[in-house]
Amino acid sequence: MEFIPAPAVHRVLCADCGTPIVPNTANLCVACLRNTVDITEGIPKQASVSFCRNCERFLSPPQSWVLARPESAELLAICLKKLKGLNKVRLTDAHFIWTEPHSKRLRVSMTIQKEVLTNTILEQTFEIEYLVQHGQCPDCAKLAAKNTWKALVQVRQKVSHKRTFLFLEQLILKHGAQKDTISVKEVRDGLDFFYSQRSHALKMVEFLGSVVPIRSKASEQLLSSDTHTNTANFKYTYSVEIIPICKDDLVCIPLKMARQLSNINPLTICARVGNSLQLLDPTTLQACEISSPAYWRTPFDSLATVSDLVEFTVLDLEPDGRSRGKYVLADAQVALAGAFRSGKHEEDDGMMDYESQGLTNQIFHTRTHLGGILQPGDTVLGFFLTNANYNSDEFAQLKSDRIPDIILVKKTYPNRRKKNRTRNWKLRSIGKEAGEEGETGGGRGVVGRMGGRDQKKVEEDYELFLREIEEDEEMRGAVNLYKAADNAPAMQVDKPAKAKGKKQNQYSMDVDEAPAPAQEEEEADFPEIKLDELLEDFDEMNLREDEVEQEV
């Protein structure tokens, strides 16, 4: 086989250092070419970026403010926009170099190419340092000043508890309706939402009308006007009032309205509250729906609320075969909780003295809509109408034979509540504590931060709200539940003054005062919240790109 030599490579000496090189148009080696020509000339090696510490946004030239995470593609694009002279070169690579978060410095490594001589392209890598300058964006500057809001939404509900606003806060977070809100203020009967634009306030009013029954009223105030240009500056206020009837309340519909609603029994309970009221007659399973306009034409108040519920023990239950959705009609025999216990409790638990009235050992017969979930021996909450005295004209007009002794409302789990168990879930809040990152906070909630004499009552309402979420599957589906860390901060529910014991953490259940007998066992059908119903708390997570790629 004949050997064919490779073509000879002709080399020349570099014009400056004499190193043999492949011939090029400049007759210079790479090192000498870089010393002769600097392609980074005209590109600054130091620059600055503006950062707003209040809203955590960066200034994207010329005037827009963008939310960007550290070492993200959005932040890199902002840094590249700050450089002059990049239009004269070709950018091939750019990435961040790690720096301490508290150093207020950003380091970017860049690789560029440029044609220096005829058919000669030179590539060079260099580093640029950015100084992070803290300041305020125009939106935060308006927020820091006084009386800079443009629109205000006043949400009110004239009830004695705050559970409606606790649930409303979670609905706002689930649908992201709080993103345009610049400030939230708690007042006596509700919340005030402040906005920088009128359209944002109108969007909030429209959202509230889709989730709760309301009526709204708009007003405006003239701040300034210019007769030459025919322009004026207004402040807009929207007053929103929520119907003062909540879930599980006992209501008495006016007789005229009851006849219009398929002649339903006026004495009903509120089964659900959406953008309308859904009332249910527990004795016949007849239901009706009252829209917000229909209610405000003939307003009425609730006879009793959840705080008036009394514990009963189910002695016997016999379903009669009629059902409507999840409700099953049944005849039940109940007695007051602890009616047949042998000993007396000397403690004063704040309950009414039924023993002196001869009602302790009495058995009551009633008809209930909870036949599908109740069993003999269960504990159920209901309204004790025999010992009730309601100041209502509609209730006084009812015939005595149509008023039952007891109306059962919902099942309860007292044995489980006596156990000091930690909840494996938590809720997010609109209000953020100092040092928290992200759009939402992990505190107890925006309701109740005002403090004062009603703080204990607010804490009790919050504990009842958490219990309703646990026991009502339909209500759980309307809110976002997040996994609670093992070292979650404390969210303690205030106990009565006589209670003494160890402190609970934030998500622990409230412990009843009466000590549980040793023989009592937990209810087997207690509605546990499964892990697949919980969401990850992404506001506290930082996933690296390489970890995400490995998982994919």
Side-chain angles (χ1 to χ4, degrees):
M1 185 175 182
E2 185 179 0
F3 173 73
I4 301 176
V9 178
H10 300 283
R11 295 180 179 272
V12 297
L13 299 180
C14 176
D16 288 347
C17 61
T19 303
I21 61 173
V22 178
N24 54 47
T25 56
N27 288 332
L28 295 174
C29 62
V30 176
C32 295
L33 190 60
R34 287 179 177 175
N35 293 332
T36 304
V37 181
D38 184 14
I39 63 175
T40 64
E41 184 178 3
I43 302 177
K45 303 302 185 295
Q46 290 184 345
S48 63
V49 292
S50 299
F51 176 71
C52 179
R53 287 184 290 186
N54 295 332
C55 60
E56 300 179 354
R57 293 187 299 175
F58 288 88
L59 175 61
S60 179
Q63 294 181 351
S64 62
W65 291 79
V66 180
L67 183 64
R69 305 284 295 179
E71 299 188 6
S72 62
E74 294 81 4
L75 183 56
L76 183 60
I78 293 175
C79 294
L80 296 179
K81 288 182 180 180
K82 299 287 290 186
L83 297 180
K84 299 179 180 179
L86 284 182
N87 55 351
K88 299 180 181 179
V89 297
R90 179 185 178 187
L91 180 64
T92 59
D93 184 30
H95 61 273
F96 283 101
I97 301 175
W98 186 85
T99 56
E100 292 287 345
H102 57 79
S103 64
K104 299 181 182 180
R105 298 290 189 278
L106 297 176
R107 296 170 57 191
V108 179
S109 176
M110 300 177 58
T111 302
I112 60 174
Q113 293 179 353
K114 184 179 181 180
E115 185 178 2
V116 293
L117 298 173
T118 306
N119 296 329
T120 302
I121 297 177
L122 183 62
E123 183 178 271
Q124 187 172 349
T125 302
F126 63 102
E127 180 182 327
I128 299 177
E129 185 179 80
Y130 292 87
L131 174 64
V132 179
Q133 295 180 344
H134 291 167
Q136 277 188 330
C137 63
D139 295 337
C140 294
K142 291 181 180 180
L143 180 60
K146 296 182 179 179
N147 299 326
T148 55
W149 51 270
K150 190 70 175 293
L152 167 64
V153 178
Q154 299 175 337
V155 186
R156 302 289 185 268
Q157 187 185 32
K158 297 179 181 179
V159 292
S160 59
H161 57 82
K162 298 289 185 180
R163 293 193 303 275
T164 301
F165 293 98
L166 292 172
F167 181 59
L168 183 61
E169 180 184 7
Q170 299 304 319
L171 290 178
I172 292 175
L173 289 174
K174 183 178 180 64
H175 296 86
Q178 85 289 354
K179 61 180 180 179
D180 297 325
T181 307
I182 61 176
S183 178
V184 181
K185 179 182 178 182
E186 182 186 3
V187 294
R188 180 176 178 83
D189 292 328
L191 298 173
D192 288 347
F193 297 87
F194 297 88
Y195 298 92
S196 59
Q197 297 181 18
R198 183 187 180 186
S199 59
H200 296 163
L202 291 173
K203 188 184 299 184
M204 172 58 76
V205 174
E206 183 180 356
F207 170 76
L208 294 175
S210 63
V211 295
V212 289
I214 63 170
R215 67 173 176 180
S216 60
K217 181 180 179 182
S219 62
E220 58 186 23
Q221 178 185 3
L222 178 63
L223 298 181
S224 61
S225 61
D226 189 351
T227 57
H228 300 286
T229 59
N230 197 19
T231 58
N233 186 18
F234 289 92
K235 276 189 174 181
Y236 302 92
T237 302
Y238 298 91
S239 176
V240 177
E241 183 177 358
I242 304 176
I243 291 179
I245 295 177
C246 303
K247 185 175 179 292
D248 297 333
D249 283 359
L250 178 66
V251 298
C252 185
I253 309 175
L255 294 178
K256 183 178 179 181
M257 179 182 289
R259 294 190 186 98
Q260 296 175 354
L261 298 172
S262 301
N263 200 20
I264 190 174
N265 184 13
L267 200 59
T268 59
I269 59 175
C270 183
R272 183 178 178 274
V273 178
N275 55 4
S276 61
L277 292 178
Q278 295 186 8
L279 304 180
L280 175 69
D281 181 9
T283 60
T284 61
L285 296 184
Q286 185 179 358
C288 67
E289 183 174 349
I290 301 178
S291 62
S292 181
Y295 173 84
W296 291 114
R297 284 195 298 266
T298 310
F300 56 91
D301 296 329
S302 58
L303 295 179
T305 61
V306 179
S307 59
D308 301 322
L309 292 173
V310 181
E311 283 192 0
F312 295 92
T313 301
V314 180
L315 304 179
D316 190 15
L317 193 76
E318 183 179 352
D320 64 354
R322 288 180 291 177
S323 63
R324 183 187 181 95
K326 63 179 181 179
Y327 302 116
V328 177
L329 199 62
D331 294 326
Q333 296 181 10
V334 298
L336 289 172
F340 302 99
R341 59 192 177 193
S342 58
K344 294 185 179 180
H345 290 265
E346 297 181 358
E347 297 183 5
D348 182 12
D349 55 358
M351 300 296 291
M352 184 179 293
D353 187 11
Y354 297 113
E355 184 176 357
S356 61
Q357 303 179 20
L359 300 175
T360 303
N361 299 329
Q362 185 175 351
I363 298 177
F364 299 93
H365 297 261
T366 184
R367 182 165 292 179
T368 178
H369 61 291
L370 303 177
I373 60 175
L374 291 182
Q375 297 292 334
D378 290 344
T379 303
V380 63
L381 295 177
F383 295 107
F384 200 178
L385 301 185
T386 302
N387 280 51
N389 184 12
Y390 301 122
N391 186 14
S392 172
D393 296 336
E394 289 80 8
F395 183 76
Q397 295 175 4
L398 296 180
K399 298 180 180 179
S400 59
D401 57 345
R402 299 195 63 181
I403 301 177
D405 296 331
I406 292 172
I407 294 182
L408 302 182
V409 177
K410 62 179 180 180
K411 184 178 179 181
T412 185
Y413 307 89
N415 297 340
R416 178 58 180 262
R417 297 302 181 192
K418 294 173 183 176
K419 306 289 185 178
N420 187 7
R421 292 178 178 267
T422 303
R423 291 188 173 98
N424 62 343
W425 55 274
K426 65 178 181 179
L427 300 174
R428 300 293 294 176
S429 171
I430 298 177
K432 293 169 54 179
E433 299 289 351
E436 288 184 333
E437 297 182 355
E439 296 183 358
T440 59
R444 190 193 53 78
V446 70
V447 179
R449 298 193 178 191
M450 189 172 59
R453 59 182 180 180
D454 295 331
Q455 184 67 22
K456 179 181 177 181
K457 183 65 171 61
V458 172
E459 297 291 347
E460 294 175 356
D461 290 339
Y462 190 75
E463 175 63 21
L464 291 177
F465 172 66
L466 296 181
R467 293 185 180 185
E468 288 181 6
I469 292 179
E470 287 180 328
E471 299 174 2
D472 192 343
E473 185 177 357
E474 182 180 356
M475 190 176 181
R476 283 204 304 269
V479 301
N480 287 337
L481 303 180
Y482 298 89
K483 295 181 181 179
D486 295 336
N487 54 353
M491 185 188 297
Q492 174 66 24
V493 177
D494 292 343
K495 302 289 187 63
K498 63 182 179 181
K500 294 182 180 179
K502 296 183 180 180
K503 294 183 178 180
Q504 300 173 342
N505 62 9
Q506 173 181 6
Y507 312 104
S508 60
M509 297 181 185
D510 190 15
V511 182
D512 293 344
E513 298 305 318
Q519 66 272 14
E520 292 186 0
E521 298 181 356
E522 297 182 10
E523 292 85 357
D525 57 344
F526 183 81
E528 294 281 359
I529 297 181
K530 302 179 182 179
L531 289 178
D532 55 0
E533 299 182 35
L534 305 180
L535 302 175
E536 295 287 352
D537 197 353
F538 289 106
D539 286 343
E540 300 177 0
M541 296 180 60
N542 293 320
L543 297 178
R544 295 181 300 177
E545 294 183 359
D546 53 350
E547 295 178 351
V548 176
E549 292 177 358
Q550 292 177 3
E551 293 177 0
V552 174

